[in-house]
Amino acid sequence: MDDLKSKYLNLIANAGDENALEEIRVTAVGKKGEVALKMRELGKMTPEERQVAGPALNALKDEINSALAAKKAALGDAALDERLRGEWLDVTLPARGRRQGTIHPISQVTEEVTAILAEMGFSVAEGPQIDTDWYNFDALNIPGHHPARAEMDTFYMHRDAGDNRPPHVLRTHTSPVQIRHMEKHGAPCRIIAPGRVYRADYDQTHTPMFHQVEGLAIDRDISMANLKWVLEEFFSAFFEIEGIKTRFRASHFPFTEPSAEVDIQCSWEDGQLKIGQGDGWLEVLGSGMVHPKVLTAAGVDPAEWQGFAFGMGIDRIAMLKYGIPDLRAFFDSDLRWLRHYGFASLDVPTLRGGLSR
């Protein structure tokens, strides 16, 4: 028994790798190994002999297994030390570059618009995206027969039989925010209402969901001249072009009287749009003096107060400023598009409308 123990302990100590160690294990304590064969001979022994040989064989098996485990651990440590000597990492090297997230152009332009108009005294007002048809249409002097109220143009919320609540819609503009603000705060006021709006339309320049910002200024002696100044100052700051020319064209909106479409100076050169130069004009927004019926609906006396309102598509002016050709790309493009048109997180708008880089 001592010869067997000495033999295998020496073999284990001299094993050069784990493969050699495995061969020793199989030969010594495997199912057909020497120790196993010795264990089978116990049945041929007398009870007295088994009492001596049995514990000795079990002790031998345990000692060999312990030696095998210790040697395997030692071989593993030696292999790791060898690998560490051959493979090393310079922890003083800079880390690998990682792609950083970017700010979506819609979010960026919303911040730019808000910053510019904030400098002119406009605060931000918000309201629900699902609203009653009274706030979305009636309070804004939009009659029941108006095409905008048809289901082909507006998303109406489903109503169960017996539901007596007023019809609800996905707001088609942020004008309901103006009504709610005047109801709560009265006049005077100077606010903008940016946010998502919804209309049943889809092509290169229209999507079912898009973004608008509407402005409202109410006071005792506000006029179209004030509206013109605000818009010209805004365009100059937003497009970063001093003295940009505007053109007001008579139009009709149910919620303003008089109403005007506003164009900005532009030109087309080799298929490229250039803002602020040339003899062309590009429509960018609708505006006008708030209709007396709208003021009355909001609880403001039109005999005492008056004001102007304007509204423009955030997506549209983002396309114009940053050369984005298709409105649908804002919503169905991949990360490559966003990496091209997106903004780094430190590109924040200043109160002058430009970007601080």
Side-chain angles (χ1 to χ4, degrees):
M1 199 77 68
D2 290 337
D3 292 340
L4 203 59
K5 173 182 174 181
S6 178
K7 170 186 173 182
Y8 283 111
L9 291 181
N10 286 331
L11 289 173
I12 292 170
N14 295 320
D17 54 44
E18 291 191 11
N19 291 333
L21 198 63
E22 178 64 15
E23 290 180 7
I24 296 170
R25 186 195 69 79
V26 172
T27 303
V29 293
K31 290 183 178 181
K32 296 181 180 181
E34 284 194 69
V35 176
L37 294 177
K38 292 287 185 183
M39 298 284 278
R40 291 175 191 174
E41 294 177 1
L42 290 175
K44 300 176 183 180
M45 297 180 184
T46 65
E48 293 77 10
E49 291 173 332
R50 282 199 298 271
Q51 286 181 354
V52 177
L57 285 171
N58 284 328
L60 175 61
K61 182 178 180 180
D62 290 343
E63 191 168 357
I64 291 174
N65 282 329
S66 295
L68 287 167
K71 184 64 175 179
K72 185 175 182 178
L75 289 172
D77 291 341
L80 179 58
D81 290 340
E82 182 65 26
R83 182 179 175 188
L84 290 175
R85 283 193 293 270
E87 300 178 12
W88 60 280
L89 176 66
D90 185 354
V91 295
T92 65
L93 290 174
R96 293 176 181 173
R98 295 179 62 188
R99 287 189 180 276
Q100 293 183 338
T102 53
I103 298 175
H104 196 283
I106 294 298
S107 300
Q108 176 71 28
V109 170
T110 300
E111 291 297 320
E112 291 181 42
V113 171
T114 301
I116 295 168
L117 292 171
E119 191 178 43
M120 289 187 260
F122 287 84
S123 59
V124 175
E126 296 180 328
Q129 296 182 40
I130 299 175
D131 216 333
T132 66
D133 63 346
W134 188 87
Y135 279 105
N136 198 76
F137 295 121
D138 296 321
L140 294 163
N141 196 37
I142 300 176
H145 62 270
H146 196 282
R149 302 183 74 146
E151 290 189 358
M152 66 179 64
D153 289 330
T154 298
F155 294 107
Y156 281 83
M157 307 303 293
H158 174 72
R159 301 175 73 195
D160 292 328
D163 188 346
N164 295 321
R165 293 177 301 171
H168 281 67
V169 300
L170 293 178
R171 66 183 185 188
T172 59
H173 41 197
T174 59
S175 300
V177 178
Q178 301 177 7
I179 302 297
R180 290 180 176 275
H181 183 86
M182 287 190 287
E183 279 184 334
K184 185 175 181 179
H185 301 284
C189 66
R190 194 180 303 183
I191 62 166
I192 57 171
R196 295 185 183 92
V197 296
Y198 307 85
R199 296 179 190 175
D201 208 351
Y202 187 71
D203 57 34
Q204 188 174 2
T205 57
H206 301 86
T207 54
M209 186 276 287
F210 56 104
H211 302 79
Q212 271 193 346
V213 58
E214 299 195 11
L216 173 71
I218 303 295
D219 214 320
R220 298 185 188 278
D221 56 357
I222 286 181
S223 68
M224 288 287 287
N226 302 121
L227 170 64
K228 187 173 189 295
W229 179 86
V230 167
L231 294 180
E232 288 181 346
E233 287 295 305
F234 169 79
F235 292 139
S236 294
F238 180 75
F239 292 108
E240 301 178 58
I241 300 172
E242 290 295 330
I244 188 170
K245 294 180 180 179
T246 60
R247 181 177 69 175
F248 283 63
R249 290 181 292 106
S251 186
H252 170 72
F253 303 113
F255 30 80
T256 52
E257 180 61 37
S259 303
E261 301 274 7
V262 180
D263 305 331
I264 56 175
Q265 179 188 17
C266 72
S267 67
W268 289 91
E269 295 181 13
D270 299 324
Q272 184 177 2
L273 176 66
K274 294 187 176 182
I275 302 294
Q277 57 182 270
D279 299 325
W281 297 96
L282 181 69
E283 177 191 330
V284 286
L285 60 83
S287 65
M289 298 296 292
V290 180
H291 199 289
K293 290 185 177 180
V294 175
L295 295 174
T296 301
V300 175
D301 185 0
E304 185 177 356
W305 304 96
Q306 63 188 36
F308 64 75
F310 60 88
M312 69 187 98
I314 295 175
D315 319 67
R316 177 167 171 76
I317 61 174
M319 294 171 66
L320 295 177
K321 183 172 182 177
Y322 296 110
I324 301 170
D326 193 324
L327 178 62
R328 293 167 293 188
F330 283 116
F331 311 106
D332 58 13
S333 295
D334 57 20
L335 288 174
R336 292 170 297 179
W337 181 90
L338 188 55
R339 287 170 188 148
H340 179 75
Y341 287 109
F343 294 84
S345 58
L346 296 180
D347 290 351
V348 295
T350 68
L351 289 181
R352 295 293 175 182
L355 291 180
S356 173
R357 295 183 183 268

